[in-house]
Structures are given as structure tokens and as C-alpha cells.
Amino acid sequence: VLRNAVHVEEGEVEKCVRDVMKEKKIEQKDTGFKTNLHISLLQISGYKKLYLNVENLRKVPYDSDNEEHEEQLIELWNLLMPHENLKGRITKQWCDIGFQGDDPKTDFRGMGLLGLVNLVYFSRHYTNEARQILSRSNHPKLGYSYAIVGINLTEMAYSLLKNGALKSHLYNMVCGLPQMEHFHQFYCYLVYEFDRFWFEEEPESIMHFNQYREKFHEKIKGLLLDCDVILTLQN
């Protein structure tokens, strides 16, 4: 019963709690235990469901024939560059927000639509911070490709979710089912903190990006080992 409890779906949690209490001979009127077990099982099943939702979004390739995909890409531009109009869909202007070439769709290959959704989420919910970080990313000596780094940080957030490192963070943050919103919030934290980390470290050049990315990754993994951890930006 206990072993199966961590694999139950949301709708089965209530029955599972009763079964565990019966099996362990815990009084059904012990509401404190019942509530805590219910929350714990929701968090465990919710974490697995969240990973599947994130994975499914990652598997969706960016499709320039998909109107919704294109709308999100244009929204990203408008949020970051409100005073400059795009001259066309395929244009070198995309490099101004840190894409590699004339068409951003090629940069989403690794993380699929998840990379774009993360970038848009940060720009939409933390618009001022996103514009400040974009501005800082154009620093003559310490600059980096804003969008490319953002997609790279999506991969970091995804891998931490996949290997279970985000469990304490999400369990502390949500009394129940973790949602996609909570994953996006963690991503926002990574973007903000990476920018600060990068400028504190003052790398010699962007050629050392992988080395500093790994150092930042280790720092975040260390923070996530704290059982009381919550890593988020606050509006």
C-alpha cells in the first residue's frame, strides 16, 4: 500500500490516504496526519505530472507555419524591443535580442517550444527585469547572447526537474500539485541569478561560457540540497 501510494493519480489520493491509515492502524480521526499525507501524495504525484507536461512541451518543435508559435515569437520581440518594429519575419534584427541568425526557429531545436515559452513568460511577467538584463547582455566586454543563454537555462531547469533536484523547492513552494507556472517561476529565478553571477564572475570572454555555466549549475544544485529551499523571484 505504501509503495503504491507514491504512484497514485490525483483522483486516487483520498482513497489512498484512507488505505494507508487503515494499514498502519492510524485513527481515521487523526486529521493532522491525514492532511499532511494528503498534501505529500499530491506533491509527489504532481511532480511527476509536471515533468511529463514539461517534457511534452519540450518535444514540440518550433513550427513557423503554426500561428500560435509565431505569435509568441513576435510577442517576445515586442516585450523586449517595444520601440523598434521588426522589418520582417526573417531579419538580422533577431540578433539584437540574442538569437544566432536571421530566423530564431533554428535556435529552438534542443528545447523545442519550451525554450520560447520560458523566454516569453519571463519577458511578460518581469518585463522591466527582462529589458534590463537584455541591456546588460549587450555590455561591450561582458556581453552574451540573451536569447541563446535563456534557452540554455531552460535546459538547466529541465534537467534539474528531470533528475528530481527540484523536489524540495517545489514541495516547499506548493501545498499540493506543482503546476507549469511554478516551473516557469524557477526558470525566471535562473535567468535573473545567472545574469548577476556572470557579471560578478567577469569572464574573460564569451568563449568561456560553458565553464561558467557549469559553475553556476553547481551553485544552483548546492542551493537545492537545502531541504527548506525556495528559489523564486518575487513580483
Side-chain angles (χ1 to χ4, degrees):
V1 172
L2 286 169
R3 208 167 16 245
N4 292 336
V6 297
H7 301 294
V8 297
E9 294 292 319
E10 180 185 355
E12 302 167 331
V13 167
E14 190 66 51
K15 179 182 181 300
C16 187
V17 168
R18 288 197 302 270
D19 291 346
V20 168
M21 292 178 76
K22 182 180 175 184
E23 192 69 27
K24 301 301 288 181
K25 296 182 173 57
I26 297 165
E27 290 284 336
Q28 292 289 334
K29 61 176 180 281
D30 186 344
T31 54
F33 179 86
K34 186 183 288 187
T35 300
N36 289 335
L37 182 58
H38 191 274
I39 290 171
S40 298
L41 293 181
L42 276 180
Q43 289 175 322
I44 292 167
S45 65
Y47 190 95
K48 292 174 181 176
K49 190 174 180 182
L50 174 61
Y51 167 68
L52 290 175
N53 289 339
V54 169
E55 174 68 354
N56 287 337
L57 193 55
R58 187 189 72 85
K59 285 179 178 175
V60 177
Y62 184 90
D63 180 3
S64 52
D65 292 326
N66 185 307
E67 200 173 309
E68 286 184 16
H69 294 190
E70 289 284 287
E71 283 174 0
Q72 286 191 73
L73 186 59
I74 300 304
E75 182 184 1
L76 177 66
W77 174 270
N78 290 334
L79 284 165
L80 292 172
M81 305 288 277
H83 305 302
E84 189 174 332
N85 292 325
L86 275 175
K87 295 183 174 69
R89 169 60 182 80
I90 310 294
T91 168
K92 289 199 182 305
Q93 284 177 287
W94 290 113
C95 297
D96 295 344
I97 60 172
F99 286 104
Q100 286 181 321
D102 297 356
D103 190 351
K105 78 172 187 181
T106 58
D107 294 325
F108 293 118
R109 283 183 188 142
M111 286 290 109
L113 199 59
L114 181 65
L116 175 59
V117 169
N118 271 167
L119 282 167
V120 171
Y121 184 95
F122 180 59
S123 299
R124 190 188 290 153
H125 290 83
Y126 300 95
T127 309
N128 290 336
E129 289 85 352
R131 290 174 186 168
Q132 286 167 10
I133 290 172
L134 173 63
S135 176
R136 281 158 62 87
S137 75
N138 291 316
H139 190 281
K141 183 173 182 294
L142 299 173
Y144 58 84
S145 299
Y146 175 83
I148 295 298
V149 169
I151 295 167
N152 202 291
L153 292 172
T154 289
E155 194 281 327
M156 187 182 295
Y158 164 77
S159 67
L160 290 166
L161 179 71
K162 184 178 181 180
N163 68 21
L166 287 189
K167 284 181 178 176
S168 289
H169 160 71
L170 286 172
Y171 293 168
N172 291 331
M173 191 180 176
V174 192
C175 269
L177 293 165
Q179 305 289 335
M180 186 68 82
E181 174 95 3
H182 303 117
F183 177 78
H184 293 327
Q185 285 285 339
F186 177 69
Y187 168 80
C188 293
Y189 172 85
L190 288 184
V191 174
Y192 191 83
E193 289 300 318
F194 178 81
D195 178 74
R196 190 161 71 171
F197 171 83
W198 181 263
F199 278 88
E200 284 174 357
E201 292 287 327
E202 297 186 350
E204 287 178 34
S205 82
I206 193 65
M207 301 303 291
H208 298 287
F209 174 77
N210 286 340
Q211 172 191 337
Y212 285 92
R213 180 207 185 276
E214 197 48 43
K215 188 175 179 181
F216 179 70
H217 193 190
E218 290 301 316
K219 177 184 176 182
I220 297 298
K221 284 194 287 187
L223 293 173
L224 289 168
L225 291 174
D226 179 357
C227 62
D228 296 318
V229 69
I230 298 180
L231 302 180
T232 55
L233 288 178
Q234 299 301 322
N235 271 316

